Amino acid sequence: LRLVESGGGLERPGGSLELSCAGTEWSFPYYAIAWFRQASGKARERIACISVGSNSIILVESVKDRFAISRDDAKKTVYLQMNSLKPDDTASYYCAADVQSTCRSRGDAEGYRTWGQGTQVTVSS
C-alpha cells in the first residue's frame, strides 16, 4: 500500500485548504487512516484519524472546531478539510495507514503500516 498526499500550499490566516491522501491498493478501505503534522523543530503529532467505515473519528483539541476528516473508499482517498487556518498550522502534513481498522487511542507515530511523503502547509499573510 502506498499513500500520496496532495493539496498543501500557502494560505492566508483564516483561509481553507483541503488535503487528500490517496491510496494505491484495493486494501485501502480496510485500514484506519491518520493525519499527522510536524512543524519545524517539533515532534510529529497526530491531529486526526478516521476508522474503517468512518465509524470513529478523532480530532485533537487544537483543530477539532476547524478541521474535518472524511474518507471516500470508492476513490481510496481520505480528506482533511482545514478551515480557519492559523499560522500555528504551518507544518508538513502526513497521512498514515494503521495496521488496524480502528483509531488507536494514543497519538504517537509508532507502528503505522505506511506513510505518505508529506505535503507542506504554510499559513502566512
Side-chain angles (χ1 to χ4, degrees), residues 69-124:
I69 185 171
S70 61
R71 67 190 300 160
D72 184 339
D73 288 331
K75 296 182 178 179
K76 298 195 288 291
T77 301
V78 167
Y79 303 96
L80 184 69
Q81 177 66 43
M82 306 187 297
N83 301 321
S84 302
L85 284 165
K86 303 176 181 180
D88 284 350
D89 295 319
T90 296
S92 293
Y93 284 70
Y94 302 86
C95 63
D98 209 331
V99 296
Q100 58 189 51
S101 62
T102 57
C103 293
R104 57 185 74 188
S105 56
R106 70 179 199 270
D108 66 88
E110 296 297 320
Y112 283 80
R113 174 189 176 95
T114 302
W115 290 84
Q117 83 288 351
T119 186
Q120 178 66 33
V121 171
T122 302
V123 183
S124 174

Side-chain angles (χ1 to χ4, degrees), residues 19 21 32-37 44-51 56-71 78-82 93-98 102-109 112 115:
L19 305 184
C21 171
I33 303 294
W35 280 100
F36 288 77
R37 69 183 180 186
R44 190 170 295 191
E45 64 166 338
R46 188 185 68 176
I47 58 169
C49 180
I50 188 165
S51 69
S56 176
I57 286 174
I58 293 175
L59 290 162
V60 297
E61 187 68 25
S62 59
V63 306
K64 70 181 183 68
D65 295 326
R66 302 182 294 121
F67 292 8
I69 185 171
S70 61
R71 67 190 300 160
V78 167
Y79 303 96
L80 184 69
Q81 177 66 43
M82 306 187 297
Y93 284 70
Y94 302 86
C95 63
D98 209 331
T102 57
C103 293
R104 57 185 74 188
S105 56
R106 70 179 199 270
D108 66 88
Y112 283 80
W115 290 84

Side-chain angles (χ1 to χ4, degrees), residues 38-44:
Q38 186 167 21
S40 180
K42 295 187 177 181
R44 190 170 295 191

